[in-house]
Amino acid sequence: MNRRTVLAVALPVAVAGCSGIAGDDGSPETEFLDASGDIEVRIDGEQFDLSADRFQSEHAEEYSLAFHLHEFDDKWYMEGREPVTFAEGIDLLPHFEYERVDGGDVLRIDDEAYDEREGATIEFAVGGEAVDPTDYELRDGDSLLVSVST
């Protein structure tokens, strides 16, 4: 499964900044999402550097319009027809992987794995409030925090 597939049809729309997409018959379809917000990842209290080129859509070999970062700011961006959950968004970032295994969160960044089944604590918060990342659908303006303690 290629988690970071970019839909070719969405790219011109995102670049043009359109707010809707027409159906095959010309009728309006679901409004095109164009959302963003702040994002921070902390590991053992230290802020993780998301500004590194390997995480930015401009430099990544594979990235998704559904959830991505840009080199010009410290925000996340969500574009497309359907919102993504917090977990899906994190999983779509280059060099990040998220999954829930046996009820525990597992987060991989680069080659480092943080696994709650092995003693790590992974917390997901939106606007300072804890959320279940697999249930929470992102909204424009959300301030996201992923906090990992080993």
Side-chain angles (χ1 to χ4, degrees):
M1 176 171 90
N2 188 350
R3 297 178 299 114
R4 295 182 177 91
T5 302
V6 178
L7 299 175
V9 70
L11 184 57
V13 174
V15 172
C18 296
S19 62
I21 297 175
D24 292 337
D25 63 356
S27 63
E29 286 188 6
T30 305
E31 190 169 304
F32 189 79
L33 294 172
D34 186 11
S36 66
D38 295 323
I39 184 169
E40 182 178 2
V41 175
R42 292 185 124 357
I43 299 175
D44 292 328
E46 298 292 321
Q47 187 168 351
F48 186 81
D49 183 12
L50 291 173
S51 69
D53 286 350
R54 69 187 180 278
F55 304 122
Q56 310 303 312
S57 62
E58 291 87 356
H59 303 284
E61 289 182 27
E62 292 184 32
Y63 71 94
S64 171
L65 285 175
F67 190 86
H68 59 280
L69 307 175
H70 283 292
E71 64 183 358
F72 51 80
D73 63 20
D74 294 329
K75 294 189 174 292
W76 59 266
Y77 292 87
M78 179 174 59
E79 300 173 34
R81 291 186 176 142
E82 297 288 328
V84 298
T85 65
F86 198 162
E88 290 167 334
I90 293 299
D91 192 54
L92 287 170
L93 290 176
H95 303 280
F96 277 71
E97 290 180 41
Y98 170 86
E99 64 181 331
R100 186 162 283 163
V101 180
D102 298 329
D105 293 321
V106 180
L107 178 65
R108 289 178 193 83
I109 304 174
D110 293 322
D111 294 325
E112 186 71 33
Y114 305 98
D115 190 331
E116 288 186 333
R117 298 168 303 154
E118 296 177 6
T121 301
I122 305 170
E123 298 175 347
F124 295 83
V126 176
E129 298 294 321
V131 297
D132 179 337
T134 62
D135 288 333
Y136 186 85
E137 284 189 352
L138 300 178
R139 297 181 202 117
D140 190 36
D142 280 349
S143 181
L144 308 179
L145 173 64
V146 179
S147 182
V148 178
S149 297
T150 59

